[in-house]
Amino acid sequence: MKKDIKWGFTGISIIVGLMLAIQFQTVKQPKIADTRDGWELRTQILAEQQLQSKLLTEIRELEAQASSYETQRSQSKETALKQTLGELKRESGQTKVTGDGIIITIKPLAEAELLGETIHSISPELLKRLINELNMYHAEHISINGQRVVNTTVIREINGEPKIDGLPLSNYPITVRVLSSDVQNLRDRIKVSKVIEQFFIDNLSVEVSDPVKKLTVPPYQNAIKSKYLEPAGKE
Amino acid sequence: MWLPIFGLILGVILGLLTDIRIPEEYSNYLSIAVLAALDTLLGGMRAYLQNLYDEKVFVSGFFFNIILAASLAFLGVHLGVDLYLAAVFAFGVRLFQNIAVIRRILLAKWTKSPEKNL
């Protein structure tokens, strides 16, 4: 009986001792840090400063590495692809383009107005023809009344109203902005082209401006639908 | 009589050697638990000297007191009231009472038969 008592007591004592020791160690821990004298602190600061400078050097190295990677990346295929994509977007009319160009203004003939003749709205065929003509003379970017002309642009009459991609063209004047790398040539050729005479028959006058520097053609606003386009399968 | 003291020393040595450390935020709980354990230990000693000792009461009391003290501290932390002070007070008072009783018993025994130890 007495032995049992002692064992129970001993077990509890061991647990208490263990708890005491753990508590002692836990509480004691911060006090060690506070007993450093000035010299030790100085050494500590020095060590920390060294660590800091080492880390700074490391940061600098890593930044240099990052910038070198950046350079490599800019010369990589991805950039080439991106560039191509940008060029394609520019070509397909999805970006704003600024450059040398001319402004063609179509408005009713003043004489016809004087004579009281009815001015019909512009015929889509005529406009299409003008665009074809412009394209023939190496026009690169065209916009009509702020609507960009792209490959899929539709110019047609809907309920007697000429529309370009759904945008009505019933009001005069109609402004056509044309950008080209050889503006002078384009201007000269369009001035003498037959399409101008066609406009004249419809009681419309066509004014071709002098070459304008920094003419801006807006991007195509609608989404370009490529219904029948599919990525080619692997060969 | 010496075996429990030996056990206490063994526990302390074991604790110091194993270098166990608990997180700072739990040290409150452990301190209150240590207090409860000490109280129980001294209570057990007193009961033994008064011949009232019961193994089951002692062991269950030990764990129950520790858990109660720790949960009281936990509750205090979460209520924003320093409830662990209640435990500290209760255990502190009992600690002193137990020590006083033990001292008296030992003193009485010693004056009765000075040459005979426990």
Side-chain angles (χ1 to χ4, degrees):
Chain A
M1 185 65 195
K2 198 167 183 185
K3 212 177 182 183
D4 284 347
I5 290 170
K6 277 193 176 172
W7 281 124
F9 231 98
T10 309
I12 298 293
S13 300
I14 290 172
I15 295 173
V16 171
L18 206 68
M19 281 163 75
L20 269 175
I22 292 169
Q23 175 70 3
F24 179 66
Q25 277 188 341
T26 310
V27 173
K28 187 185 70 178
Q29 204 52 34
K31 282 195 176 162
I32 293 169
D34 290 334
T35 53
R36 295 175 301 176
D37 62 6
W39 195 250
E40 277 176 321
L41 285 172
R42 234 174 247 268
T43 324
Q44 193 80 33
I45 285 174
L46 197 69
E48 294 298 329
Q49 276 177 342
Q50 277 171 351
L51 183 67
Q52 192 194 13
S53 74
K54 198 180 140 199
L55 286 174
L56 280 175
T57 323
E58 219 163 296
I59 287 170
R60 214 170 299 147
E61 275 173 14
L62 286 173
E63 271 176 357
Q65 206 170 6
S67 74
S68 86
Y69 282 150
E70 190 70 29
T71 324
Q72 274 180 18
R73 201 179 62 81
S74 68
Q75 289 159 0
S76 71
K77 280 182 187 171
E78 193 190 333
T79 320
L81 263 175
K82 273 187 183 163
Q83 207 177 338
T84 316
L85 183 68
E87 275 169 19
L88 284 174
K89 271 192 173 174
R90 188 173 185 270
E91 215 170 300
S92 65
Q94 289 185 53
T95 54
K96 192 167 92 176
V97 186
T98 307
D100 294 351
I102 51 171
I103 300 172
I104 301 169
T105 316
I106 303 163
K107 53 187 176 187
L109 212 60
E111 291 86 342
E113 271 181 317
L114 270 176
L115 291 171
E117 287 181 33
T118 44
I119 311 293
H120 299 284
S121 47
I122 190 166
S123 91
E125 280 72 32
L126 209 55
L127 209 53
K128 274 189 224 168
R129 202 167 161 163
L130 174 71
I131 287 165
N132 281 346
E133 203 96 350
L134 286 168
N135 282 333
M136 221 156 74
Y137 306 141
H138 307 293
E140 276 156 18
H141 308 283
I142 305 170
S143 78
I144 299 172
N145 274 6
Q147 180 76 12
R148 180 71 168 265
V149 177
V150 295
N151 284 344
T152 54
T153 292
V154 183
I155 300 169
R156 60 181 174 189
E157 217 168 64
I158 303 171
N159 277 347
E161 202 178 3
K163 292 201 174 187
I164 169 166
D165 281 333
L167 195 91
L169 289 174
S170 41
N171 294 333
Y172 293 102
I174 292 166
T175 320
V176 183
R177 291 174 170 220
V178 188
L179 296 194
S180 174
S181 47
D182 191 2
V183 188
Q184 195 58 51
N185 189 15
L186 174 76
R187 180 177 178 270
D188 295 343
R189 294 178 97 167
I190 205 77
K191 273 212 125 175
V192 297
S193 94
K194 280 202 176 144
V195 76
I196 305 277
E197 286 165 29
Q198 302 284 337
F199 275 99
F200 192 76
I201 293 168
D202 275 6
N203 286 332
L204 293 170
S205 77
V206 176
E207 262 176 42
V208 181
S209 75
D210 290 331
V212 183
K213 293 213 172 203
K214 295 210 169 167
L215 191 69
T216 305
V217 169
Y220 186 67
Q221 285 143 6
N222 310 353
I224 291 178
K225 287 177 200 156
S226 50
K227 210 166 159 186
Y228 304 107
L229 270 179
E230 275 174 18
K234 279 180 190 168
E235 295 272 331
Chain B
M1 185 64 200
W2 292 110
L3 205 57
I5 294 169
F6 178 71
L8 194 70
I9 293 165
L10 184 75
V12 170
I13 289 168
L14 224 67
L16 288 176
L17 283 181
T18 46
D19 202 32
I20 299 168
R21 221 167 269 133
I22 57 158
E24 197 75 14
E25 56 265 33
Y26 297 136
S27 92
N28 264 345
Y29 300 114
L30 188 60
S31 67
I32 205 85
V34 165
L35 202 62
L38 275 178
D39 169 63
T40 318
L41 206 61
L42 283 168
M45 273 166 73
R46 179 185 59 96
Y48 176 69
L49 290 171
Q50 287 177 328
N51 290 322
L52 295 168
Y53 183 77
D54 183 350
E55 175 95 9
K56 281 175 195 160
V57 170
F58 176 66
V59 175
S60 68
F62 175 78
F63 289 109
F64 189 76
N65 274 356
I66 286 177
I67 291 164
L68 187 71
S71 46
L72 209 63
F74 178 78
L75 192 70
V77 167
H78 283 264
L79 285 180
V81 185
D82 287 339
L83 266 183
Y84 77 96
L85 284 178
V88 168
F89 181 72
F91 289 131
V93 168
R94 275 179 51 180
L95 212 67
F96 276 105
Q97 279 178 349
N98 283 339
I99 288 169
V101 171
I102 290 166
R103 179 173 51 84
R104 272 158 210 243
I105 292 169
L106 286 180
L107 219 63
K109 279 192 177 179
W110 188 63
T111 44
K112 223 192 271 173
S113 51
E115 77 282 350
K116 194 193 168 193
N117 212 336
L118 287 169

